[in-house]
Amino acid sequence: MPTPLLRRPPIAVCLASAAALLFPTATADAAPAAGEASRSTATPGVVTWAFPKAAAAAAAAADRSPDGQIAVAVNTRNGITLVRFDARGKFDKSFGTNGYARLAADNVSAAAVAFDEDGSLTVAGTAPGKGTALLARLTARGKPDTSFGKNGIVVTQGLPASTEAAALAVQSDGKPVLAATAKNRVVVARYTLKGRPDPSFGTKGRYLSPAKVSESAAAIGLQEDGTIVVAGSSTLPKQGERASLWSLTTKGAPSPGFGTTGKLLVAAAVRNGVSRNMVIDSADNIVMSGSADSHYAVVRHRPGGARDRDFGDDGLARIPTTDTSNGTVVAAAEDGHVVTAGPLGTALGVASATTQGQPDPGFGTSGVTTLDFGTAEQSLSALLLTEDGQVIVVGTAGTRIALARFTPHGKPDSTYGR
């Protein structure tokens, strides 16, 4: 699974009291009143869903289950609400209460969501004012998983002060792995199925980078053998911000042979979104996207960290466009194709590269297609691929949650949501 997941003073409170502070009712059952949401499919291949009473609603993250369901973590003025869509793009009213699983969380925002193999969901987020990171787990039906923490919620313990949650992955054994930033250092923490720090990982369940420069985490992925890869950025003297990668063993130690003590810098030619998105492909390659020379760019590293010199131009693929473009979300197909999406001039676009890092001639026009959610204010939060090559983009259009599906050839799928 992808992929595509904040804190402050030390957490010196017990789990139960912290959960009560952040989650007054600690429930996911509160649902919007009838008529609170509305659906629109005015644009072919696009489904949008509105939260009229939550003017600031925005899709924060999304994930796709093995059977095609899509869960979207939505940040609203009331906190975090999860919604789920089926494989056809239909709003799933069987999830939570009337289709909504709302975490009663004051001033908490979601950073990531991930499906487990059994259909349950784990969410990572932060209480911005308190600087407290947290995890929440819901059952496949959208109810709090009472076996996890306190009523399905864990205020992450044992992490440094001012920790900001960034990304989340769920291992095949169900253990959640959180990537975060704390005082300009990268933190990776693993938790047991009950939500406790995993003593078999790092030091008391966590890894803390020995940074001498300012670092931050942004994305996380798991390789086939359980190796954990984190993408983010490092701010270097005279160089500014550089996209970076960290690799950890299953025991939470820096991976031997990966860069310098488990960390490496990504090609300086790639900028912008590359430090904020990353995915592990079916061959365990590390794939990121961003912008190079004002074009969509994809950079690929081999499983051990070496740049894949057989991909594009020495590991860097550019997908030219007539407008300035930047890949802010990325996904990799089973056959090695890479898809990225993000700003394309004043609009949005989706681009595809072949396994050799060339613009995909069978996708859109010269590897690029445009994306229109039907509003001037559009942003993306996730890019998901189906087993048969369909492309699903998740984002926000104005105050609506938006999903768009394209065929493997980059054409809007007019059957989506119908």
Side-chain angles (χ1 to χ4, degrees):
M1 299 177 188
T3 79
L5 320 166
L6 311 165
R7 259 176 237 220
R8 216 170 217 176
I11 303 174
V13 292
C14 70
L15 180 63
S17 61
L21 176 65
L22 292 171
F23 298 86
T25 59
T27 178
D29 287 343
E36 184 171 336
S38 62
R39 167 179 170 269
S40 172
T41 55
T43 305
V46 172
V47 174
T48 64
W49 199 267
F51 292 72
K53 292 185 179 180
D63 195 18
R64 181 176 178 273
S65 70
D67 63 358
Q69 295 175 329
I70 294 176
V72 184
V74 182
N75 288 332
T76 75
R77 64 184 180 184
N78 297 320
I80 303 170
T81 296
L82 277 91
V83 295
R84 193 170 69 188
F85 296 83
D86 66 19
R88 300 171 299 163
K90 298 276 191 177
F91 184 72
D92 185 356
K93 292 186 177 181
S94 70
F95 181 73
T97 301
N98 297 326
Y100 300 86
R102 177 173 288 171
L103 303 177
D106 293 336
N107 299 317
V108 174
S109 59
V113 61
F115 272 104
D116 199 346
E117 291 185 354
D118 64 0
S120 61
L121 286 165
T122 305
V123 185
T126 307
K130 300 175 175 60
T132 304
L134 57 95
L135 295 175
R137 176 165 284 178
L138 303 176
T139 68
R141 298 186 62 185
K143 305 297 182 181
D145 183 348
T146 56
S147 70
F148 187 78
K150 178 72 173 180
N151 292 326
I153 296 170
V154 167
V155 176
T156 51
Q157 299 172 312
L159 297 184
S162 302
T163 298
E164 298 184 354
L168 173 72
V170 177
Q171 296 184 166
S172 59
D173 60 3
K175 291 182 178 180
V177 185
L178 175 72
T181 303
K183 293 186 174 179
N184 299 321
R185 299 171 74 181
V186 170
V187 181
V188 181
R190 189 168 71 194
Y191 296 85
T192 67
L193 300 182
K194 293 185 178 296
R196 301 189 181 100
D198 184 350
S200 68
F201 185 82
T203 301
K204 297 182 179 179
R206 74 176 190 185
Y207 164 82
L208 185 64
S209 70
K212 295 182 180 180
V213 297
S214 178
E215 298 179 336
S216 63
I220 191 170
L222 302 176
Q223 294 179 323
E224 186 66 28
D225 64 356
T227 296
I228 299 164
V229 181
V230 174
S233 62
S234 302
T235 302
L236 306 179
K238 300 181 180 180
Q239 295 187 48
E241 187 178 40
R242 287 281 300 276
S244 306
L245 291 169
W246 291 260
S247 178
L248 301 177
T249 68
T250 56
K251 294 185 179 297
S255 297
F258 189 95
T260 303
T261 61
K263 175 189 173 182
L264 60 83
L265 298 177
V266 177
V270 184
R271 297 292 184 182
N272 301 323
V274 72
S275 64
R276 293 182 288 277
N277 68 97
M278 178 270 295
V279 68
I280 306 298
D281 71 12
S282 59
D284 274 347
N285 294 312
I286 304 162
V287 182
M288 295 164 287
S289 70
S291 178
D293 302 326
S294 299
H295 298 308
Y296 287 122
V298 176
V299 61
R300 190 166 77 188
H301 288 257
R302 296 193 182 278
R307 197 187 308 181
D308 187 348
R309 301 189 183 280
D310 295 328
F311 182 78
D313 181 11
D314 201 27
L316 172 62
R318 294 175 176 85
I319 306 174
T321 60
T322 55
D323 295 306
T324 298
S325 54
N326 177 34
T328 57
V329 288
V330 66
E334 285 291 324
D335 64 0
H337 276 68
V338 178
V339 181
T340 184
L344 176 61
T346 58
L348 294 174
V350 183
S352 177
T354 67
T355 57
Q356 291 77 37
Q358 303 300 320
D360 184 352
F363 187 89
T365 302
S366 301
V368 179
T369 189
T370 57
L371 170 63
D372 183 10
F373 283 146
T375 181
E377 297 181 14
Q378 306 180 50
S379 62
L380 303 182
S381 57
L383 180 62
L384 310 168
L385 299 182
T386 67
E387 289 75 12
D388 59 0
Q390 292 177 318
V391 179
I392 301 173
V393 185
V394 182
T396 304
T399 60
R400 290 176 173 267
I401 308 309
L403 292 82
R405 189 167 74 186
F406 294 86
T407 70
H409 300 294
K411 305 297 182 183
D413 184 353
S414 59
T415 67
Y416 195 58
R418 299 188 182 280

